[in-house]
C-alpha cells in the first residue's frame, strides 16, 4: 500500500495542506478534504499531521478579523461565513460558493483535539489557542444546532445531522483546551436526537451520516447500526455508494457512485468491532483500487467511467485507513 501513500503525498502542498485532487476542478484546498486526507497520519510518528493543522491554524489566523466579526454577528451572505475552499496558498477565492459548511469547522476542532490527545504538538502558542476559542464562539453565534448550512456536499441549505454531529464532536474534543459551555454541546445533541436517523428534512438516508460513526463516534451503537443498514441497503452500488437518492452530480441516468463509500463503510464497522464486515468491505474496496493507486472521486452514474477528479485525496486516505485496520486485525489473530 506504499503506492497509496505516494499518491496521497503527491497532493500534499509545501505548506502542509492538501489539494482535493490535481484535476482542474478540484485543485484547491477544502478544510474538510484536508481534515480527512491527513487522518492516516494521526497515529504515525511523522510530522505530517501537525504540519497540516499548523497550516490550517495559520489560515484561521490570517482571517481572524473575519472570525471576530462573526463571533458577535451571525453571517448572512455566503462569503461572510468562514470559507470552505481556498487557493493553494490558503487565501480566499473570489468566486461565489456555498461557504456555510459548519461540518468543516467541527472537523477541524475534532482533528485538533484528537491530535493533542495523541501527543501531537498541534498548538504552538497562545495565538493558536485563541483561534480555537474564537471558533467555539463562532459556532455559538451561528447557533449551529439550528442553523441551516450547505452541508458536506455543499448543496441544499438546511439543517444537516452530519453538520450538527461534526460540531458536537469538535466541541467535545477541544473542551479540555478552551472554554466550551456544556449547553453548546447539549443543544447539538438534542437536535441529533430529533433529526436522526435522517440526514435532513429532504434526505432520509445520506452517505454523510457515516461521519457520525467514523470518525466522530457521536451516535449510540443502535443508531450506528440503523445508519449502516440504511446506507448499505439504499445507497450501496457496484463502485461504491451514491451520496443520496436523486443526486444529480455526474448523473447520466443514475446517481454517481462514490469510491470512498466502501472504505468508509468498512471503517464504520471497525468502530463497532464487526470484523467480518470490515473484511467484506475491504474486499469490495480492493476491486476499485487502480494499479497506480489513483482512486477516483466517483464513477459517473449509469457508466463504468471514473470522472476527472482522479485521484481524490479523501478516497485515497480512507482506503489507507481501512487497509491499516485490516492489517491490525490480522496481527491480532496471529498473536492469539
Amino acid at each position: 500500500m506504499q503506492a497509496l501513500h505516494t499518491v496521497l503525498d503527491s497532493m500534499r502542498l509545501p505548506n502542509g495542506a492538501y489539494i482535493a485532487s490535481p484535476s482542474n476542478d478540484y485543485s484547491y484546498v477544502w478544510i474538510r478534504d484536508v481534515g480527512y486526507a491527513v487522518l492516516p497520519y494521526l497515529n504515525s510518528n511523522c510530522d505530517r499531521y501537525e504540519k497540516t493543522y499548523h497550516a490550517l491554524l495559520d489560515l484561521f489566523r490570517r482571517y481572524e478579523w473575519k472570525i471576530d466579526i462573526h463571533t458577535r454577528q451571525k453571517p448572512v451572505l455566503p462569503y461572510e461565513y468562514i470559507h470552505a475552499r481556498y487557493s493553494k496558498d490558503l487565501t480566499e477565492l473570489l468566486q461565489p460558493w456555498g461557504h456555510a459548511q459548519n461540518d468543516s469547522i467541527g472537523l477541524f476542532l475534532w482533528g485538533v483535539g484528537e491530535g493533542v490527545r495523541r501527543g501531537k504538538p498541534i498548538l504552538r502558542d497562545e495565538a493558536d489557542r485563541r483561534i480555537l476559542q474564537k471558533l467555539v464562539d463562532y459556532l455559538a453565534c451561528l447557533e449551529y444546532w439550528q442553523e441551516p448550512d450547505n452541508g458536506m456536499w455543499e448543496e441544499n441549505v438546511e439543517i444537516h445531522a452530519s453538520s450538527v454531529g461534526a460540531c458536537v464532536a469538535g466541541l467535545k474534543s477541544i473542551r479540555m483546551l478552551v472554554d466550551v459551555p456544556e449547553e453548546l454541546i447539549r443543544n447539538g445533541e438534542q437536535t441529533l436526537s430529533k433529526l436522526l436517523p435522517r440526514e435532513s428534512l429532504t434526505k432520509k438516508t445520506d452517505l454523510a451520516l457515516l461521519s457520525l460513526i467514523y470518525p466522530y463516534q457521536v451516535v449510540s451503537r443502535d443508531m450506528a447500526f440503523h445508519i449502516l443498514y440504511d446506507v448499505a441497503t439504499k445507497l450501496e452500488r457496484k463502485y461504491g455508494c451514491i451520496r443520496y437518492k436523486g443526486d444529480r452530480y455526474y448523473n447520466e441516468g443514475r446517481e454517481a457512485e462514490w469510491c470512498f463509500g466502501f472504505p468508509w463503510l468498512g471503517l464504520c464497522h471497525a468502530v463497532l468491532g464487526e470484523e467480518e464486515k470490515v473484511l467484506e468491505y475491504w474486499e469490495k474496496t480492493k476491486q476499485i483500487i487502480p494499479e497506480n493507486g489513483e482512486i477516483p472521486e466517483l464513477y459517473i452514474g449509469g457508466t463504468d467511467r471514473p470522472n476527472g477528479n482522479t485521484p481524490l485525496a479523501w478516497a485515497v486516505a480512507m482506503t489507507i485507513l481501512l487497509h491499516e485496520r485490516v492489517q491490525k486485525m490480522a496481527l491480532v489473530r496471529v498473536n492469539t
Side-chain angles (χ1 to χ4, degrees):
M1 287 293 136
Q2 183 55 45
L4 291 176
H5 283 280
T6 301
V7 172
L8 188 56
D9 269 352
S10 72
M11 291 175 278
R12 186 170 184 264
L13 298 169
N15 57 27
Y18 290 79
I19 55 171
S21 174
S23 72
N24 290 334
D25 291 341
Y26 276 22
S27 191
Y28 301 103
V29 174
W30 272 266
I31 293 174
R32 178 190 308 104
D33 286 63
V34 170
Y36 279 99
V38 79
L39 276 176
Y41 305 107
L42 177 58
N43 294 308
S44 73
N45 293 323
C46 72
D47 64 358
R48 282 179 177 79
Y49 193 86
E50 54 263 40
K51 293 294 187 185
T52 295
Y53 275 89
H54 293 163
L56 293 178
L57 281 162
D58 287 343
L59 182 161
F60 289 128
R61 285 163 75 153
R62 177 179 294 138
Y63 294 104
E64 187 172 2
W65 61 269
K66 182 177 188 176
I67 300 171
D68 283 339
I69 294 171
H70 298 297
T71 58
R72 304 183 302 272
Q73 176 182 314
K74 185 181 290 192
V76 177
L77 299 174
Y79 73 86
E80 294 179 321
Y81 287 83
I82 295 174
H83 282 204
R85 187 182 74 149
Y86 298 82
S87 66
K88 292 179 182 178
D89 64 358
L90 305 183
T91 56
E92 289 185 349
L93 300 161
L94 296 178
Q95 297 98 318
W97 202 259
H99 288 300
Q101 297 178 35
N102 299 342
D103 73 289
S104 64
I105 305 303
L107 173 59
F108 171 78
L109 296 177
W110 179 87
V112 169
E114 288 301 302
V116 170
R117 242 182 297 282
R118 286 163 173 76
K120 301 282 189 184
I122 305 291
L123 300 183
R124 298 161 295 183
D125 52 31
E126 281 306 308
D128 282 348
R129 193 181 302 271
R130 185 179 72 232
I131 289 295
L132 292 187
Q133 186 64 62
K134 289 183 178 183
L135 290 175
V136 171
D137 298 340
Y138 172 81
L139 292 179
C141 181
L142 280 177
E143 298 181 306
Y144 78 90
W145 60 91
Q146 58 185 8
E147 174 72 5
D149 76 340
N150 294 105
M152 185 177 285
W153 311 132
E154 307 185 317
E155 294 181 336
N156 293 3
V157 177
E158 55 184 338
I159 299 174
H160 295 89
S162 57
S163 291
V164 174
C167 293
V168 168
L171 292 168
K172 285 183 172 181
S173 186
I174 63 160
R175 59 185 169 186
M176 80 289 199
L177 300 172
V178 294
D179 178 36
V180 179
E182 282 300 314
E183 185 181 15
L184 206 54
I185 295 171
R186 190 163 54 249
N187 287 340
E189 291 175 332
Q190 289 172 353
T191 296
L192 288 178
S193 69
K194 295 174 184 175
L195 193 53
L196 290 172
R198 300 185 71 93
E199 163 68 346
S200 65
L201 289 178
T202 67
K203 296 187 182 72
K204 183 176 180 181
T205 304
D206 193 301
L207 191 61
L209 288 167
L210 295 185
S211 64
L212 305 182
I213 307 168
Y214 180 89
Y216 300 136
Q217 300 185 44
V218 292
V219 292
S220 69
R221 186 174 179 84
D222 285 346
M223 181 58 71
F225 278 119
H226 192 148
I227 290 169
L228 287 172
Y229 176 81
D230 283 348
V231 170
T233 57
K234 298 171 184 175
L235 305 184
E236 192 173 322
R237 299 292 188 270
K238 180 179 179 181
Y239 296 107
C241 296
I242 66 172
R243 298 187 298 182
Y244 54 87
K245 289 186 176 180
D247 187 3
R248 302 307 304 167
Y249 184 68
Y250 280 98
N251 185 318
E252 292 188 8
R254 291 198 297 272
E255 298 94 340
E257 301 175 20
W258 289 63
C259 296
F260 60 42
F262 284 157
W264 205 347
L265 281 163
L267 290 164
C268 288
H269 282 289
V271 167
L272 298 169
E274 298 281 297
E275 291 193 358
E276 293 306 314
K277 297 297 288 185
V278 173
L279 294 174
E280 174 188 327
Y281 282 107
W282 175 238
E283 289 301 315
K284 291 180 178 181
T285 299
K286 286 195 295 184
Q287 298 303 310
I288 58 168
I289 303 175
E291 287 187 13
N292 62 8
E294 295 184 356
I295 303 169
E297 175 183 48
L298 56 81
Y299 278 76
I300 299 168
T303 79
D304 59 359
R305 304 191 315 273
N307 73 343
N309 300 326
T310 303
L312 185 76
W314 190 345
V316 175
M318 295 295 247
T319 302
I320 291 171
L321 288 160
L322 182 58
H323 180 247
E324 289 176 349
R325 293 291 184 113
V326 170
Q327 285 184 313
K328 288 178 182 177
M329 283 166 40
L331 189 60
V332 169
R333 288 178 176 178
V334 168
N335 293 329
T336 54

